[in-house]
Amino acid sequence: MYSLDYYDFGTPASDSAELVSVEIDGQTVTVPAGVSVMRAAAMMRKQIPKLCATDTLKAFGSCRLCLVEIEGRKGYPASCTTQVAAGMKIKTSSEALTRLRRNVMELYLSDHPAECVSDQVPVRTEFKAMAQLVGLTENRYGADGARHLGAPLDESNPYFRFDPSACIVCSRCVRACDEVQGTFALTIEGRGFDSRVVASQDERFIDSECVSCGACVEACPTTALQEKSLIAGPAPEKAVTTTCAYCGVGCSFKAEMKDEVVVRMVPNRAGHANQGHACVKGRFAYGYATHSDRVLKPMVRARITDPWREVSWTEAIERAASEFKRIQAKYGRNSIGGITSSRCTNEEAYLVQKLVRAAFGNNNVDTCARVCHSPTGYGLKHTLGESAGTQAFNSVMKSDVILLIGANPTEGHPVFASQLKRRLRQGAKLVVVDPRAIGLVRTPHIEAEYHLQLRPGTNVALMNAMAHVVVTEGLTRESYIAERCEQASYEKWKQFVAHPDRSPEATADVTGVPAEKVRGAARLYASAENAAIYYGLGVTEHSQGATMVMCIANLAMATGNLGREGVGVNPLRGQNNVQGSCDMGSFPHELSGYRHISDDAVRASFEAAWSVRLDPEPGLRIPNMFESALEGDFKAMYIQGEDMAQSDPNTQHVTAALSAMECVVIQDLFLNETAKYAHIFLPGSTFLEKDGTFTNAERRISRVRKVMNPLAGLQDWEITQRLSNALGYPMNYSHPSEIMDEIAALTPTFAGVNYQKLDELGSIQWPCNAEAPSGTQTMHVGRFVRGKGKFYVTEYVPTSEQTSSRFPLILTTGRVLTQYNVGAQTRRTDNIVRYDEDRLEIHPHDAQMRGIATGDWVGVASRAGDTVLRALVTDRVQPGVVYTTFHFPESGANVVTTDNSDWATNCPEYKVTAVQVVKVTQPSLWRQRFRELSRRQHKERAGRADRVDQT
Ligand code: SF4
Ligand code: SF4
Ligand code: SF4
Ligand code: FES
């Protein structure tokens, strides 16, 4: 079905700077060289009938509906495959053209369900629109020529249906899967009238290689591929542009609505981060928003063993405020703190940190970035001067070599992965640094040049070895370094990495990577015209996370790969707004824009605006809050949108700390794991129920727009505002735009940001200020934000988490495409069909030694705790390494992870845990306890009247 408000130009834009003038139906138009006649006409708002063309795909020229007449040319060329040429005279309509187009359309109609074009049926497809455009609603031949009518439906995919009888074999779906998504799951089988679309080896969609991205559905001009929500639901009547609330790619969507019901989410072709593409999560997995598990009434209880009691908003807020006040009066100002959420908006994160600093009167605020990308902030700030990624996603289209470290974009950042794959298919080279053979190592039409399959925990040794090659083989860019970097720091670093102890040969035993491979990869990176580094949590979640980020920045500076398109250092941020929550001052030592709380001038500007004295001392980080709780000093916490009992390491330590507190206030959508230890539950709102902004991994600020009223009555920022007022610190915002105005007034990198500009430009990459009023695509152009780039010596210090005879394997963790983070949202959607439990991947050699086969229950024990998972025997992992995801609370992956953390930021060392794995027959003690607590929580909730479907 047509998107509600998208104008399709038929073929892609051209980026040529050269302009040519042509005449179309007697009117002159000037367009970029290289565009098609179809696009040139569309730019004049002249619609040439078309079926096989759409502007997200290369022209294909198969349907012959878009014929035009061109002066001086024989016949009737297809306008989609004919490029404009200076002076061309084109006619888009004539009697002959009308006749020809009708003939073509009639042939299609003869093999098509009549209702698809009938005026009586309110279906709105491009096919129907084209039939009407050429003046047909029925055909003269009836359905005698039918080849596809009556073919069975494929309903196997939970989100869309394939109806071969409505297929016109235009190949748009096949090309979308190839060109846009890069999965190559579809083909056209057979010839002529017998040709048909098949998935993989003629399998059902659900059994094929299809990853449910929906690109084929979006491209299909008929009802052959269609969203089930559209078939079953009401016809949408309006579209509201908003931003995906899942990962850090930040895809823009049109939420197509009928009243307050989301009929479907259509990827926005004008979206700067996604350009019309999406993945299964943002495109289809939004059903959690109205899931019956949503808590819609505030609840309180005196003890965590008591049942919950539903109360009014007023009672819940007043109870929370009076508890916070009581506890501070009894245990001191620093006995309480708050957590901002990376899933909430910038405005909401800003308000929580403001509440902590202004109303609590301390700096005990932290955020979930603590456990993912805090080392990025530290490492990039110290070396380059700014805590964020340096490029726009589009920059990758100019990269010649891509160094991908500790990231798995096809699972974690799927829309960026599709763009990356497109660039690799154009010929860019790929180096993968990962202990595991991620999908990108070998995938259709792509093979990594090098896969450096290092041992978990040896990143820094490997990067030092790569730097050693660059320095000792004369591959540094000396003129760039001399102009842009601190020379003394460079000399020191150079001497350090050039030492023979850091050579690939000397470190091969440590990293497990053959020296020649390291040398080859380093040469490839350093010799490229444009080389870019993309990295993920496989870099940061280590005891040397911050050191490794500095290694990356050092290497990029030494090879001149910063400050222009195609290069850069790019952290792939996990959650939708993890960049934003960090930008907003969620860390205990920093106000918004990463300015230290001890800076008198910065603090004074906030004190003046907020009319309050601020504590100049940094507050407690999350791990310190837990330690302090166990010591009896830290007694209460306000947690917005984070499930610490599932996502933080060493679960038993976390739950002991939560249990030691007198008041835990949770603001969330569902009764999550942390809620088991809470005293007050404030029901939050989903991204569909609120206004605000998210900031993605490329520093892009995008609007989130409210498409339905909050099911529990309040947007998250309103809850924080009420709590602040109840605590005696007044907040009086009437809309999140006012919060953004305050952020802009107090934060130099956001100085030029406001909602009106966001509406005009679509999105803005910060810094946005007087020097860059429309934002900044590429950072560090000409000079680094800190002035001169600074090299840091990065000594490799092995983690204390070492294997032993008791714990001989290393456990490392990651994620899958269909589930998201702790799974609270995706587990409550049909994505569960694709992935319904965390599994332990184990190499065949290690499995055989332990008598383990795929599907067996295995006990995983570490120094911190033990759990039980089902085994998956695979050579994706190397011998000695096991791997699991952490999307399901009952898996208890974090029962096993330890308290080890990054030396600089306390980011947990999730990626390295020494474990033993044995075959078992019964659940671990932890799992038994977990089941009991879950049963209790479930029992309390059963039969409550606050389910969404009953409101
Ligand atoms: S399924 Fe749709 S897009 Fe694919 S060939 Fe058929 S009509 Fe074209
Ligand atoms: S949903 Fe995506 S992956 Fe699946 S067939 Fe369509 S385009 Fe390919
Ligand atoms: S790639 Fe990320 S932002 Fe885009 S649709 Fe998927 S989950 Fe949402
Ligand atoms: S749209 Fe041009 S040939 Fe199909």
Side-chain angles (χ1 to χ4, degrees):
M1 190 174 124
Y2 264 163
S3 301
L4 276 179
D5 60 356
Y6 181 71
Y7 184 81
D8 187 346
F9 288 85
T11 59
S14 155
D15 54 13
S16 171
E18 189 194 334
L19 295 176
V20 293
S21 292
V22 295
E23 193 182 292
I24 300 180
D25 296 336
Q27 267 180 278
T28 300
V29 60
T30 302
V31 296
V35 303
S36 69
V37 168
M38 176 178 280
R39 190 172 178 100
M43 288 166 82
M44 301 168 71
R45 290 297 192 259
K46 267 184 190 300
Q47 198 179 15
I48 299 174
K50 65 181 182 66
L51 279 174
C52 68
T54 186
D55 59 12
T56 50
L57 303 173
K58 282 184 234 151
F60 192 55
S62 71
C63 75
R64 309 298 295 166
L65 197 67
C66 68
L67 309 179
V68 290
E69 293 175 15
I70 299 177
E71 198 174 284
R73 293 219 186 162
K74 279 196 194 142
Y76 301 94
S79 63
C80 65
T81 48
T82 308
Q83 281 187 9
V84 289
M88 211 178 227
K89 288 193 173 155
I90 302 144
K91 243 165 113 174
T92 66
S93 61
S94 70
E95 264 183 44
L97 288 171
T98 303
R99 199 176 51 251
L100 284 167
R101 288 172 185 158
R102 278 193 186 170
N103 285 343
V104 171
M105 201 71 210
E106 275 182 323
L107 278 176
Y108 282 117
L109 287 173
S110 70
D111 184 17
H112 210 81
E115 61 272 20
C116 287
V117 285
S118 163
D119 282 339
Q120 310 303 313
V121 182
V123 66
R124 195 167 48 87
T125 64
E126 192 171 342
F127 184 71
K128 183 173 178 179
M130 292 306 144
Q132 286 166 352
L133 193 63
V134 301
L136 285 173
T137 51
E138 56 183 35
N139 77 88
R140 289 170 293 172
Y141 315 123
D144 292 351
R147 292 294 190 284
H148 300 92
L149 292 181
L153 296 174
D154 179 347
E155 306 232 40
S156 60
N157 189 291
Y159 298 118
F160 62 83
R161 177 184 93 171
F162 177 47
D163 175 4
S165 71
C167 177
I168 56 170
V169 203
C170 66
S171 198
R172 271 163 68 159
C173 55
V174 178
R175 288 178 286 136
C177 194
D178 298 357
E179 292 173 27
V180 178
Q181 166 56 22
T183 291
F184 297 84
L186 302 177
T187 44
I188 303 282
E189 196 189 75
R191 300 175 71 87
F193 276 116
D194 289 325
S195 55
R196 63 189 185 105
V197 173
V198 298
S200 295
Q201 310 303 310
D202 204 357
E203 289 158 86
R204 299 188 313 158
F205 268 80
I206 197 72
D207 303 323
S208 72
E209 284 130 334
C210 168
V211 292
S212 300
C213 72
C216 55
V217 182
E218 171 62 6
C220 181
T222 72
T223 53
L225 281 163
Q226 218 182 356
E227 297 90 345
K228 288 181 175 174
S229 63
L230 194 61
I231 298 167
E237 286 173 348
K238 63 173 180 176
V240 183
T241 305
T242 191
T243 305
C244 178
Y246 279 117
C247 85
V249 178
C251 295
S252 176
F253 279 90
K254 301 272 184 183
E256 291 197 350
M257 308 292 302
K258 163 76 176 145
D259 302 325
E260 297 232 332
V261 175
V262 179
V263 180
R264 63 173 182 169
M265 297 290 281
V266 181
N268 181 9
R269 293 194 188 191
H272 295 129
N274 57 319
Q275 291 142 13
H277 193 34
C279 83
V280 60
K281 295 191 285 289
R283 177 77 153 97
F284 298 118
Y286 51 85
Y288 70 88
T290 47
H291 194 279
S292 58
D293 283 354
R294 280 278 303 270
V295 180
L296 300 178
K297 297 261 168 53
M299 301 190 298
V300 300
R301 59 183 174 183
R303 288 177 300 272
I304 61 172
T305 46
D306 291 346
W308 285 107
R309 183 169 64 84
E310 283 177 4
V311 293
S312 67
W313 272 110
T314 307
E315 186 179 339
I317 298 276
E318 275 171 9
R319 172 82 163 263
S322 71
E323 276 297 275
F324 287 142
K325 282 197 233 170
R326 177 188 68 78
I327 288 166
Q328 277 191 310
K330 186 168 173 191
Y331 300 102
R333 189 163 48 91
N334 287 320
S335 60
I336 67 174
I339 305 296
T340 75
S341 172
S342 293
R343 288 185 221 164
C344 287
T345 62
N346 285 318
E347 293 77 1
E348 288 162 347
Y350 177 84
L351 276 207
V352 172
Q353 64 88 32
K354 180 175 177 178
L355 174 137
V356 169
R357 298 187 205 277
F360 288 180
N362 62 41
N363 291 309
N364 292 340
V365 61
D366 209 348
T367 188
C368 40
R370 171 71 52 217
V371 299
C372 65
H373 268 288
S374 49
T376 288
Y378 185 94
L380 296 187
K381 182 98 182 168
H382 278 74
T383 49
L384 312 178
E386 192 52 272
S387 302
T390 61
Q391 312 296 120
F393 288 137
N394 273 344
S395 161
V396 79
M397 297 313 284
K398 298 208 168 131
S399 301
D400 304 303
V401 169
I402 293 138
L403 179 54
L404 184 67
I405 312 174
N408 190 358
T410 45
E411 306 287 333
H413 300 83
V415 166
F416 172 68
S418 291
Q419 191 171 28
L420 172 63
K421 286 196 275 186
R422 210 150 49 239
R423 182 61 189 153
L424 294 171
R425 291 198 301 275
Q426 288 172 356
K429 306 268 187 271
L430 176 68
V431 176
V432 173
V433 179
D434 202 294
R436 191 165 159 268
I438 60 166
L440 278 170
V441 170
R442 183 174 296 129
T443 191
H445 305 282
I446 291 167
E447 182 155 4
E449 220 58 27
Y450 294 96
H451 175 203
L452 309 184
Q453 195 165 15
L454 77 176
R455 288 203 184 97
T458 62
N459 282 341
V460 170
L462 182 77
M463 282 305 271
N464 284 343
M466 285 185 72
H468 176 92
V469 176
V470 170
V471 163
T472 56
E473 296 191 8
L475 300 171
T476 50
R477 283 267 305 275
E478 294 295 323
S479 57
Y480 178 97
I481 298 162
E483 188 193 329
R484 301 196 43 169
C485 302
E486 283 185 8
Q487 200 60 30
S489 71
Y490 173 55
E491 294 301 336
K492 209 167 150 196
W493 173 78
K494 200 168 150 183
Q495 207 180 8
F496 166 75
V497 293
H499 192 281
D501 283 356
R502 272 141 225 132
S503 70
E505 290 72 16
T507 49
D509 280 350
V510 174
T511 64
V513 183
E516 261 328 289
K517 278 191 162 187
V518 180
R519 287 194 178 273
R523 287 173 195 141
L524 186 67
Y525 172 82
S527 331
E529 177 92 22
N530 285 332
I533 300 177
Y534 290 84
Y535 71 88
L537 302 180
V539 160
T540 54
E541 290 177 344
H542 287 273
S543 62
Q544 283 200 288
T547 314
M548 178 61 179
V549 174
M550 289 172 165
C551 286
I552 288 172
N554 287 340
L555 191 68
M557 285 191 286
T559 53
N561 278 311
L562 281 159
R564 62 182 186 279
E565 278 199 280
V567 299
V569 169
N570 304 281
L572 293 172
R573 301 274 183 163
Q575 301 196 69
N576 53 325
N577 199 35
V578 70
Q579 178 70 56
S581 70
C582 297
D583 300 342
M584 291 299 102
S586 294
F587 290 126
H589 66 296
E590 280 172 343
L591 288 155
S592 61
Y594 305 98
R595 286 147 322 136
H596 207 279
I597 189 77
S598 64
D599 184 318
D600 291 342
V602 171
R603 216 174 49 256
S605 67
F606 281 83
E607 287 177 341
W610 293 355
S611 308
V612 72
R613 297 285 296 169
L614 297 177
D615 186 345
E617 285 298 315
L620 298 173
R621 298 170 172 180
I622 292 170
N624 309 130
M625 292 184 203
F626 290 151
E627 285 304 330
S628 183
L630 288 168
E631 284 160 13
D633 300 327
F634 189 84
K635 291 289 183 183
M637 227 174 177
Y638 169 43
I639 306 171
Q640 185 182 71
E642 173 158 16
D643 192 0
M644 308 168 95
Q646 192 186 341
S647 63
D648 285 30
N650 196 349
T651 307
Q652 296 182 90
H653 178 76
V654 173
T655 53
L658 289 167
S659 307
M661 293 184 207
E662 291 186 11
C663 180
V664 175
V665 180
I666 301 281
Q667 186 171 319
D668 217 308
L669 303 177
F670 305 103
L671 272 177
N672 56 23
E673 292 311 298
T674 313
K676 288 175 181 166
Y677 304 90
H679 306 83
I680 300 174
F681 190 96
L682 306 174
S685 48
T686 68
F687 76 115
L688 297 168
E689 298 156 47
K690 58 173 77 163
D691 276 303
T693 54
F694 291 153
T695 306
N696 76 353
E698 34 162 22
R699 294 168 279 107
R700 187 180 298 288
I701 308 159
S702 302
R703 272 301 310 276
V704 177
R705 291 185 178 85
K706 180 167 155 271
V707 299
M708 58 172 73
N709 288 312
L711 296 182
L714 295 177
Q715 301 180 43
D716 286 290
W717 65 270
E718 292 175 304
I719 303 170
T720 307
Q721 172 158 296
R722 282 201 188 189
L723 180 58
S724 188
N725 287 329
L727 283 161
Y729 180 78
M731 289 188 188
N732 295 301
Y733 307 99
S734 60
H735 190 270
S737 66
E738 294 167 12
I739 307 173
M740 179 53 84
D741 292 343
E742 181 176 314
I743 295 165
L746 289 169
T747 316
T749 42
F750 276 64
V753 180
N754 58 58
Y755 277 29
Q756 195 188 339
K757 195 186 277 183
L758 283 165
D759 288 344
E760 282 161 19
L761 300 181
S763 64
I764 300 170
Q765 283 178 275
W766 66 258
C768 172
N769 44 31
E771 295 95 72
S774 302
T776 308
Q777 273 208 337
T778 309
M779 300 281 291
H780 312 297
V781 177
R783 68 188 280 282
F784 289 105
V785 170
R786 75 181 295 283
K788 297 270 185 186
K790 183 165 182 177
F791 287 83
Y792 278 79
V793 166
T794 51
E795 187 76 62
Y796 168 62
V797 181
T799 168
S800 58
E801 183 64 10
Q802 292 293 324
T803 53
S804 62
S805 54
R806 213 171 135 217
F807 302 110
L809 303 170
I810 291 285
L811 169 72
T812 189
T813 57
R815 56 182 84 182
V816 291
L817 169 68
T818 44
Q819 296 293 342
Y820 173 73
N821 208 290
V822 295
Q825 294 138 288
T826 42
R827 281 187 277 113
R828 293 180 169 96
T829 69
D830 283 333
N831 279 21
I832 203 81
V833 172
R834 291 276 189 178
Y835 195 78
D836 62 0
E837 68 175 336
D838 296 317
R839 294 197 163 212
L840 187 85
E841 292 187 6
I842 183 166
H843 189 272
H845 172 75
D846 295 322
Q848 196 188 13
M849 275 174 51
R850 292 164 174 78
I852 293 168
T854 290
D856 285 349
W857 286 106
V858 290
V860 185
S862 74
R863 294 177 179 103
D866 60 307
T867 190
V868 171
L869 291 163
R870 216 187 280 275
L872 174 65
V873 179
T874 169
D875 60 6
R876 271 200 296 261
V877 287
Q878 53 186 302
V881 175
V882 290
Y883 167 93
T884 188
T885 51
F886 49 85
H887 303 300
F888 293 83
E890 63 270 30
S891 307
N894 281 327
V895 175
V896 180
T897 52
T898 68
D899 285 335
N900 270 15
S901 67
D902 174 42
W903 63 273
T905 64
N906 277 138
C907 179
E909 194 182 29
Y910 288 117
K911 302 295 181 186
V912 188
T913 308
V915 295
Q916 177 58 292
V917 175
V918 291
K919 199 167 161 177
V920 294
T921 51
Q922 61 173 18
S924 64
L925 275 178
W926 178 84
R927 213 177 231 239
Q928 289 171 29
R929 241 187 358 261
F930 170 86
R931 281 186 187 162
E932 178 47 37
L933 268 176
S934 298
R935 234 191 324 268
R936 210 162 65 204
Q937 180 148 299
H938 180 72
K939 211 168 117 205
E940 280 168 23
R941 289 272 299 153
R944 301 183 79 88
D946 57 357
R947 289 173 175 256
V948 178
D949 49 8
Q950 291 171 13
T951 54

